[in-house]
Amino acid sequence: MALNLVSIVNKGIEQAFEELDFALLKTRPIADDNGEVQGYRATVVVTADHSNYTRSNGEKVEGANVGEVLQLTVHSSQVPTIKGMIVGIKLVKPQVHAVYATSAQDSTFATINISVSAENLLLPNGKKGNK
């Protein structure tokens, strides 16, 4: 499954992500050669999508991204310790770094992928990533 890019293209990433509710599934620190934590990879899932759009045939699409799983780089050395899923997180200053397509040889279809990072994650208790 690939993230539906229509709302991101139409509204911009910050506004589009404001309309998505996320849950944090896991984190993995990213360390430099000296072992210093420079950031972390976060795996998040979209738990609700409050955006909608209309297809060219008039069909209204709601909640297109519910259930999508994203991996993103978070540029903070404060890696949250999680035990289970944390529902209700927000991405702080999300940014798309790349949009690319992949397809199988001789295939008519392609999967469109995006590379996303965030300055930090805002946890439901109002704190940014904490130890």
Side-chain angles (χ1 to χ4, degrees):
M1 228 175 189
L3 183 68
N4 185 299
L5 297 176
V6 173
S7 58
I8 294 172
V9 171
N10 287 338
K11 298 177 183 175
I13 188 169
E14 286 192 21
Q15 185 175 350
F17 277 24
E18 279 295 316
E19 294 183 359
L20 300 176
D21 294 340
F22 294 99
L24 180 61
L25 300 177
K26 66 181 179 178
T27 59
R28 189 182 77 226
I30 301 170
D32 63 16
D33 292 339
N34 298 321
E36 298 282 329
V37 174
Q38 301 298 311
Y40 60 96
R41 296 285 292 163
T43 303
V44 299
V45 63
V46 178
T47 56
D49 183 350
H50 305 285
S51 65
N52 60 64
Y53 64 93
T54 305
R55 291 186 174 160
S56 59
N57 65 1
E59 177 186 357
K60 188 172 182 178
V61 178
E62 297 177 348
N65 293 307
V66 173
E68 293 296 337
V69 176
L70 301 171
Q71 288 197 0
L72 56 118
T73 302
V74 180
H75 302 292
S76 170
S77 60
Q78 298 176 320
V79 183
T81 302
I82 62 172
K83 295 178 176 128
M85 182 169 60
I86 300 175
V87 179
I89 67 161
K90 292 288 184 188
L91 306 183
V92 177
K93 296 186 180 176
Q95 182 179 11
V96 173
H97 294 280
V99 177
Y100 57 96
T102 57
S103 65
Q105 187 173 354
D106 299 325
S107 175
T108 323
F109 300 99
T111 300
I112 298 175
N113 301 287
I114 61 172
S115 173
V116 179
S117 73
E119 182 178 288
N120 210 332
L121 297 182
L122 185 60
L123 303 177
N125 61 8
K127 296 181 181 177
K128 292 185 179 177
N130 60 351
K131 283 202 163 202

